[in-house]
Amino acid sequence: MLIKPSPAAIKRIRERLAAEVRALRGGNAARVITKLSPITRGWTGYYRGVVSSKVFASLDNYAWKLLLSGPSAATPPSRRDGSSAATSADSTSSGTTAGVRRP
């Protein structure tokens, strides 16, 4: 019989990681690492003695996706001509030409 982390335990750690990343959104990388490192080390230390390498790999992938989604969510979408949607909206409201990029 193989002992694995329960689905409820996996759900709890995923929710905790998501909450921590949300709270740290916009912070620098050192702060994020300082906050997440003890959480992940503690959880992996607790489940180290059971069959959990696939669970660890899935949590690693989940954390990577959480951290990767942060900067893209904060960046406005860009257009084909290289200008952002926010820049074009600002330029049209101020009366300038829509295709001109502003620095």
Side-chain angles (χ1 to χ4, degrees):
M1 180 160 122
L2 299 176
I3 300 171
K4 299 180 182 181
S6 70
I10 296 168
K11 183 178 178 182
R12 280 193 308 270
I13 190 68
R14 282 178 172 239
E15 289 171 351
R16 177 138 187 229
L17 288 174
E20 294 293 339
V21 169
R22 256 192 315 274
L24 296 169
R25 184 126 320 151
N28 62 12
R31 185 173 172 208
V32 173
I33 291 170
T34 302
K35 187 69 174 179
L36 293 182
S37 183
I39 295 168
T40 55
R41 280 189 298 135
W43 198 85
T44 55
Y46 183 79
Y47 288 106
R48 182 177 34 190
V50 298
V51 180
S52 53
S53 62
K54 288 183 181 179
V55 175
F56 290 163
S58 72
L59 282 176
D60 181 46
N61 188 33
Y62 180 73
W64 177 254
K65 286 181 181 179
L66 279 175
L67 294 171
L68 190 63
S69 69
S72 62
T75 306
S78 61
R79 297 183 176 194
R80 281 189 168 179
D81 64 355
S83 65
S84 69
T87 304
S88 294
D90 289 343
S91 64
T92 56
S93 65
S94 64
T96 59
T97 309
V100 176
R101 289 181 64 189
R102 297 190 315 186

